[in-house]
Amino acid sequence: MPASADRPGAPLAIYVHWPFCRVKCPYCDFNSHVRDGVDQADWRAAYRAEIAWWAERVGNRPAASIFFGGGTPSLMDEATVAAVLAAIETHFGVTEDVEITLEANPTSVEAARFAGYRAAGVNRVSIGVQALEDDALAALGREHSAAEARAAVELAGRIFPRHSLDLIYARPGQSVAAWRAELDQALALAGEHLSLYQLTIEAGTAFHTAHRLGRLHLPEEDVQEALLETTWQVTAEAGLPAYEISNHARPGAESRHNLAYWRGGDYVGIGPGAHGRLTFDGRRHATVAHRLPERWRQAVLDAGHGRESEDALAPHIAAEEALMMGLRLVEGVARARFDGTAVARLEEMVNSDALDRLVEGGFVDVTADRLRATPQGRRVLNAVLAELIA
Amino acid sequence: MADPAHIRNFAIIAHIDHGKSTLADRLIEHCGGLEKREMTEQVLDSMELERERGITIKAQTVRLDYRAADGQDYVLNLIDTPGHVDFAYEVNRSLAACEGALLVVDASQGVEAQTLANVYQAIDNDLEIVPVLNKIDLASAEPDRVIAQIEDVIGIDAQDALPISAKTGMGIDGVLEALVQRLPAPQGAADAPLKALLVDSWYDPYLGVVVLVRVVEGRVAKGMRIKLMAADTTHLVDEVGIFRPKHTKVAALGPGEIGYLTASIKDVGETQVGDTVTEEKRPTAAALEGFKPSVSVVFCGIFPIDAADFDDLRNSLAKLRLNDASFQFEMESSAALGFGFRCGFLGLLHMEIVQQRLEREFGLELITTAPSVIYRMHMTDGEMMEIHNPADMPDPVKIADIEEPWIRATILVPDEYLGQVLKLCEERRGVQINLTYVGNRAMVDYSLPLNEVVFDFYDRLKSVSRGYASFDYHLDDYRKDDLVKMSILVNGEEVDALSTIVHRSRAEKRGRAMCEQLKDLVPRQLFAIAIQAALGGRVIARETVRALRKDVLAKCYGGDASRKRKLLEKQKAGKKRMRTYGKVEIPQEAFIAALRTGD
């Protein structure tokens, strides 16, 4: 029986992971690898094969969104992107208004491929600008200058119907005033969407080592808080309010693909290390592919897919995940979400004493159909979640 | 049975590190008690912990056969005594089993406080003291200065002190000869009724309770029915023997002899150090003098860090007690720490040793509450209560006054650190009794409240004197003072495990220190947390753990869900060990850390 039984015909999201980078950025802990001479034809074949396998597995469900993430997807040949999209169209089908996003680095070399990506069907780019100051870009290990980034964004604006920029803030030594000025520039440059991330020290990165050795200092918590508040306030005033902790858009211009993650939609992961969530047999299932590119490709060659594991999530785990993802959204999490995870009522899932305290403390709102974190609650969401699920 | 005229019973008195155990090893080796290959360093300190810390907990004994220069064979019994102030009474009983003692002094370090206390005990027991200058081979040795110091401080003639090096074996012959020539032979008639001193006892998994005795008069042999006079119990002797140092059966022990007996005794608690052993059907007329039952002086709560270890902790305590009847325990429960035991000890070191043995030999992870002493609460209705657990403190309005135990302490310290040491003693409410100089070292006597000493005094003393101060004490008397129970409150609720009884003048400083410490240990949460120290209803110190300002993941997409959820699960697992105080839950770890750093 195909895995689509619970949601026959329902659109889903497809994530495609391109695992290669030219260099590894010192802050990034994503599944990215630096390799010489990636044979794009071989990789195209592998992606095509895995797409066909997954389509077989999930049955008749079209893609409402496709997202090329990485690694650095803008290192993919235009033909590779086209081949992947063609395979998805063939095996899954796509909805009429499908959102197809590709993450791109704003170097001039990569920007030169924008037109080809557009021709292949990409209709949205998410550009990893990261900073609009050359010193900061150098400190972040980026290969582009601020001027190159601006040029790439402007070009993207002409080529793609939709585009978004990523920036990293709360960088070492960054003041609220400096960030505000940079954010104003970003807003002037932005189209309809901005992803603004506070710098996080992740294990296994170069920054992690530097941080541990005391060579890199993040701003104090109070400064981080002020930076977050400023970001929320300035973007709202500019008409791109936060709709998630770090994502800001003109109303209606949100990333539909990412909303699918936060709202608990189903998604298929294609490519090395890609994760998926699929609901069938009354349970939500988590899938993970082999992380190492070569291993994944070999698995696809051998078995037609690179899936390493597929586990049915226990209802309480699925519900925890629903809360963890859903409370990141300003809209919060719908009570209906808990039906699909076999926890019928929100109150059964969460610690009710904690919920009362959180409501009283102004960290969450409960309405007839939703549970929502207030702005105050979203600032400290980790602690809110720990209270709720414990 | 050996001829008393050819027996010499002796102890070795020395400060830690001055070479007592090494000298004992050399003596055993010289007399062929063990083959060379059987010699491990410090044979006598058989417990791992003793060996490691270079101190002796149980008294042990070894019988040496020595052919002296006069051509005659002698039996030399060495009793190795506990080397710490907490075991002063055990030391005293060990010394009472001897006719003489080697006073071992490091030839460059000189006399230390602990040595002093023990040598005075030896003099009180009328022992012949033979001074020995060890480590004479070191370049820093100053024999003349140390001899002068011994004469000055201890007041004994040290002109014929024996220069030795226990490490190299130099001078060991001279020590053995001095024992034969300078120590008196034991007295006592073999046909008199049995009178023997119970020197020590321990539990042996094969033999049961083993009792170390010194026969004063009469004889003891297998098959005899003996009576422990203080315990008022009788037992049939299964076996008697001596230590060479391995235990070796003999037919009987006679006057002057030191050896062991076993008599199917189940509980080491029945065999109290200092008791008199006699024969049931022909008892001695009078018991030996000086018997004192052991008394716990210092108390603390011991809790398993993992609540699941509670039963293990109970079993381990019971096993330890098999071998050490001098500590007590009873169950207690704490809102902050769960179930554990309230334990009583002879002193601070004894407490530390028991804790370490529990952790080491039984593999338990433990947390202990602040050490306490026994307070005498005189109630308004005329009753008197002895309290050592702050949780048991009665309502203050019903207390007329409170007395606390005081000690007399002797501290020897190089002149340059004297100022710091005096300052420390004054801070701890000490009253100076005497201050004298011995060369460039000061010897200062203080009267101090014991509750100030159990609270990190040793550590502070070591630190202000860079380890050069030595310290000894004995319990002196009870004195009335202004003592109060200090509670630590989290969001207005008392954390029972952190309550202490303190002197009012010291409460604020200690309360502030505890609050500051907790402020750093209690994890920040969604709500601000008030941490207070209070005397009754009055808050004397306060700190606030600020509410979290920002704590949220910047990124969480489809590929992050699993990993980030696992982090949440971890946080959730941590919450199992939390207790609620007002609106917040505090992890037990915070209190555990506070108790650890407060040591």
Side-chain angles (χ1 to χ4, degrees):
Chain A
M1 185 170 66
S4 67
D6 289 16
R7 297 184 180 179
L12 43 62
I14 297 180
Y15 175 77
V16 181
H17 191 79
W18 180 261
F20 303 111
C21 286
R22 212 165 11 234
V23 293
K24 189 112 176 120
C25 294
Y27 54 85
C28 174
D29 71 333
F30 282 14
N31 182 26
S32 59
H33 304 265
V34 177
R35 296 282 189 274
D36 288 332
V38 172
D39 187 321
Q40 299 246 345
D42 286 349
W43 282 83
R44 273 200 287 274
Y47 282 110
R48 271 202 211 100
E50 193 177 45
I51 288 163
W53 186 87
W54 273 110
E56 181 76 16
R57 171 124 188 87
V58 302
N60 180 31
R61 299 183 65 179
S65 67
I66 300 166
F67 194 104
F68 290 90
T72 310
S74 53
L75 295 178
M76 294 169 89
D77 283 352
E78 296 92 322
T80 306
V81 173
V84 167
L85 291 176
I88 292 172
E89 176 124 38
T90 303
H91 296 287
F92 283 89
V94 296
T95 59
E96 200 175 323
D97 59 347
V98 61
E99 175 191 273
I100 304 176
T101 307
L102 182 137
E103 283 181 342
N105 274 350
T107 67
S108 51
V109 178
E110 287 157 273
R113 284 196 279 266
F114 283 1
Y117 294 146
R118 178 72 192 106
V122 173
N123 56 24
R124 184 173 179 272
V125 279
S126 172
I127 304 170
V129 172
Q130 313 311 7
L132 289 166
E133 291 167 4
D134 285 339
D135 290 350
L137 286 167
L140 291 169
R142 302 296 291 177
E143 289 192 299
H144 59 265
S145 65
E148 256 183 305
R150 285 169 200 283
V153 173
E154 277 158 17
L155 180 66
R158 289 196 295 275
I159 290 178
F160 296 98
R162 300 166 66 198
H163 70 274
S164 174
L165 327 181
D166 284 7
L167 275 96
I168 294 173
Y169 70 107
R171 303 186 301 251
Q174 193 173 35
S175 68
V176 173
W179 167 237
R180 208 191 153 107
E182 194 175 358
L183 183 55
D184 284 339
Q185 292 181 49
L187 282 163
L189 201 58
E192 43 156 38
H193 193 281
L194 278 174
S195 298
L196 306 170
Y197 302 111
Q198 290 212 352
L199 178 61
T200 305
I201 303 299
E202 303 285 357
T205 63
F207 273 7
H208 190 258
T209 310
H211 186 252
R212 205 183 46 218
L213 297 174
R215 293 185 192 136
L216 186 150
H217 301 278
L218 293 183
E220 295 294 322
E221 192 192 12
D222 287 357
V223 178
Q224 290 185 19
E225 185 207 0
L227 286 165
L228 188 64
E229 292 293 344
T230 300
T231 303
W232 285 349
Q233 185 195 331
V234 170
T235 53
E237 283 164 5
L240 276 73
Y243 66 97
E244 188 260 2
I245 302 290
S246 304
N247 282 279
H248 308 259
R250 246 180 255 299
E254 297 86 0
S255 162
R256 297 211 305 270
H257 183 84
N258 290 336
L259 280 176
Y261 295 145
W262 296 315
R263 286 176 175 163
D266 279 5
Y267 51 98
V268 172
I270 305 289
H275 288 246
R277 288 288 184 280
L278 293 165
T279 308
F280 57 87
D281 298 342
R283 297 281 285 276
R284 196 157 161 84
H285 290 71
T287 70
V288 191
H290 292 291
R291 271 180 76 86
L292 197 69
E294 292 74 17
R295 180 126 189 239
W296 172 83
R297 203 170 79 84
Q298 190 59 49
V300 174
L301 288 175
D302 295 343
H305 67 87
R307 185 187 64 185
E308 188 183 18
S309 65
E310 178 175 303
D311 299 304
L313 298 178
H316 76 278
I317 303 250
E320 279 174 21
E321 202 172 283
L323 269 185
M324 182 182 84
M325 302 303 277
L327 288 181
R328 295 183 66 83
L329 290 171
V330 171
E331 68 183 28
V333 50
R335 277 171 194 263
R337 276 287 302 281
F338 292 92
D339 297 338
T341 55
V343 178
R345 285 159 44 85
L346 187 60
E347 281 80 5
E348 286 172 15
M349 155 73 203
V350 302
N351 179 330
S352 60
D353 289 350
L355 187 60
D356 292 347
R357 286 200 298 268
L358 292 171
V359 169
E360 196 183 311
F363 295 100
V364 297
D365 275 343
V366 187
T367 64
D369 63 340
R370 307 195 81 79
L371 172 68
R372 212 166 49 178
T374 62
Q376 189 196 345
R378 287 198 299 276
R379 274 190 300 138
V380 289
L381 188 61
N382 291 347
V384 169
L385 287 167
E387 291 276 318
L388 281 176
I389 70 167
Chain B
M1 291 188 332
D3 171 10
H6 287 94
I7 297 176
R8 299 291 183 271
N9 294 321
F10 70 105
I12 305 178
I13 295 169
H15 187 70
I16 292 169
D17 292 339
H18 282 199
K20 176 174 75 171
S21 297
T22 315
L23 174 58
D25 289 351
R26 286 298 94 76
L27 296 173
I28 295 167
E29 206 177 81
H30 200 280
C31 298
L34 285 176
E35 300 293 318
K36 192 96 182 170
R37 64 179 166 78
E38 292 176 299
M39 294 288 300
T40 52
E41 280 295 299
Q42 302 182 4
V43 178
L44 290 178
D45 290 347
S46 58
M47 269 188 257
E48 179 192 9
L49 196 64
E50 294 188 11
R51 202 168 299 164
E52 195 165 298
R53 299 178 62 134
I55 52 171
T56 306
I57 299 165
K58 305 299 280 185
Q60 301 206 31
T61 176
V62 56
R63 175 171 173 147
L64 307 172
D65 294 317
Y66 176 63
R67 178 157 295 173
D70 62 11
Q72 306 213 40
D73 289 330
Y74 289 85
V75 169
L76 308 179
N77 287 311
L78 162 59
I79 295 190
D80 193 31
T81 57
H84 191 275
V85 51
D86 289 353
F87 307 103
Y89 175 68
E90 285 70 10
V91 173
N92 187 293
R93 293 299 86 193
S94 295
L95 293 174
C98 301
E99 278 75 31
L102 298 173
L103 168 63
V104 180
V105 181
D106 183 309
S108 37
Q109 305 274 326
V111 176
E112 299 288 355
Q114 186 54 51
T115 319
L116 214 54
N118 287 346
V119 80
Y120 287 147
Q121 286 209 27
I123 292 168
D124 286 348
N125 275 294
D126 215 13
L127 266 55
E128 178 70 27
I129 311 290
V130 178
V132 173
L133 303 183
N134 193 19
K135 305 190 189 180
I136 201 79
D137 53 327
L138 297 185
S140 55
E142 294 177 83
D144 293 341
R145 183 180 67 79
V146 173
I147 285 171
Q149 194 202 25
I150 293 171
E151 297 192 335
D152 247 25
V153 182
I154 303 172
I156 57 170
D157 181 3
Q159 289 311 310
D160 48 5
L162 304 168
I164 69 157
S165 165
K167 203 172 137 200
T168 66
M170 177 198 142
I172 299 301
D173 287 334
V175 173
L176 289 162
E177 278 303 310
L179 287 171
V180 169
Q181 287 162 25
R182 286 159 66 173
L183 263 51
Q187 306 294 318
D191 53 2
L194 173 64
K195 182 189 283 193
L197 174 67
L198 197 161
V199 179
D200 205 349
S201 66
W202 56 89
Y203 184 82
D204 181 289
Y206 301 104
L207 303 173
V209 174
V210 177
V211 181
L212 182 65
V213 293
R214 151 76 199 258
V215 179
V216 178
E217 289 175 338
R219 54 190 289 283
V220 59
K222 180 177 173 175
M224 179 184 278
R225 189 140 199 105
I226 54 163
K227 179 175 181 176
L228 302 179
M229 296 178 75
D232 197 20
T233 56
T234 66
H235 308 271
L236 185 68
V237 175
D238 297 326
E239 181 178 323
V240 294
I242 55 170
F243 294 96
R244 293 180 170 276
K246 290 180 283 193
H247 59 81
T248 310
K249 280 190 217 178
V250 297
L253 294 171
E257 287 195 290
I258 293 172
Y260 70 87
L261 61 87
T262 63
S264 304
I265 301 170
K266 296 280 177 293
D267 182 3
V268 77
E270 286 179 58
T271 54
Q272 297 207 64
V273 171
D275 203 346
T276 302
V277 183
T278 190
E279 187 176 3
E280 188 188 18
K281 68 177 184 211
R282 194 167 71 113
T284 180
L288 294 160
E289 282 173 20
F291 170 75
K292 284 194 289 185
S294 70
V295 186
S296 294
V297 168
V298 178
F299 296 82
C300 74
I302 298 187
F303 293 84
I305 286 189
D306 184 345
D309 285 344
F310 175 79
D311 284 335
D312 277 356
L313 174 58
R314 175 169 39 209
N315 293 338
S316 305
L317 283 166
K319 273 188 201 156
L320 269 191
R321 228 189 103 83
L322 277 181
N323 221 345
D324 180 359
S326 59
F327 84 94
Q328 336 163 341
F329 63 98
E330 61 185 34
M331 209 180 111
E332 80 167 325
S333 87
S334 149
L337 299 176
F339 287 109
F341 295 91
R342 188 78 188 166
C343 303
F345 308 92
L346 297 174
L348 270 182
L349 182 90
H350 187 214
M351 177 173 83
E352 217 177 288
I353 287 169
V354 169
Q355 279 167 25
Q356 288 192 11
R357 290 188 64 189
L358 287 170
E359 298 201 289
R360 189 173 310 187
E361 294 171 28
F362 299 96
L364 295 168
E365 260 198 288
L366 303 173
I367 185 65
T368 55
T369 60
S372 177
V373 300
I374 296 178
Y375 298 92
R376 291 184 183 157
M377 310 268 165
H378 295 277
M379 312 302 287
T380 48
D381 64 3
E383 287 274 304
M384 197 274 278
M385 296 170 72
E386 294 201 330
I387 296 283
H388 57 74
N389 190 343
D392 299 333
M393 177 107 166
D395 184 344
V397 302
K398 293 184 182 157
I399 302 173
D401 51 60
I402 305 179
E403 286 183 312
E404 63 177 330
W406 280 62
I407 60 166
R408 178 70 72 91
T410 301
I411 299 169
L412 271 169
V413 61
D415 191 33
E416 56 204 294
Y417 305 114
L418 178 65
Q420 288 294 309
V421 169
L422 295 180
K423 190 164 160 249
L424 174 65
C425 292
E426 295 296 325
E427 276 172 14
R428 300 305 173 98
R429 302 189 279 137
V431 178
Q432 200 184 108
I433 305 296
N434 196 14
L435 173 60
T436 51
Y437 274 90
V438 184
N440 63 344
R441 281 153 52 89
M443 185 168 92
V444 55
D445 286 338
Y446 257 92
S447 224
L448 280 158
L450 182 60
N451 87 344
E452 299 286 349
V453 175
V454 298
F455 189 78
D456 83 347
F457 182 84
Y458 285 160
D459 288 345
R460 296 278 304 128
L461 181 67
K462 260 186 258 166
S463 115
V464 301
S465 70
R466 300 200 176 184
Y468 285 111
S470 58
F471 171 82
D472 181 58
Y473 75 87
H474 61 266
L475 283 174
D476 198 1
D477 55 2
Y478 267 77
R479 299 185 198 172
K480 191 164 87 176
D481 215 326
D482 191 4
L483 295 157
V484 287
K485 176 180 169 185
M486 183 177 75
S487 311
I488 299 294
L489 310 175
V490 171
N491 276 348
E493 290 185 32
E494 183 177 346
V495 182
D496 56 3
L498 300 181
S499 298
T500 47
I501 295 173
V502 292
H503 190 261
R504 191 180 296 276
S505 69
R506 305 268 297 142
E508 191 178 327
K509 194 176 172 205
R510 236 193 252 183
R512 196 176 304 134
M514 185 51 103
C515 290
E516 280 168 12
Q517 203 174 59
L518 273 174
K519 184 191 169 196
D520 294 332
L521 294 169
V522 169
R524 295 171 56 209
Q525 309 202 16
L526 292 170
F527 301 94
I529 302 165
I531 295 179
Q532 297 165 311
L535 305 180
R538 194 168 66 85
V539 172
I540 54 167
R542 183 195 161 106
E543 292 285 341
T544 304
V545 179
R546 294 178 60 207
L548 280 171
R549 305 299 298 164
K550 186 200 149 266
D551 180 20
V552 59
L553 300 172
K555 287 189 182 187
C556 192
Y557 293 103
D560 303 311
S562 297
R563 194 158 49 110
K564 303 302 186 193
R565 192 188 49 73
K566 278 176 192 149
L567 290 178
L568 266 184
E569 288 276 320
K570 246 192 210 169
Q571 270 180 289
K572 186 171 144 181
K575 288 210 152 206
K576 284 186 190 147
R577 299 172 54 72
M578 299 224 196
R579 319 266 167 189
T580 305
Y581 291 87
K583 265 190 299 190
V584 299
E585 290 174 309
I586 310 286
Q588 205 181 329
E589 284 72 19
F591 301 130
I592 289 173
L595 287 167
R596 284 219 166 114
T597 44
D599 279 352

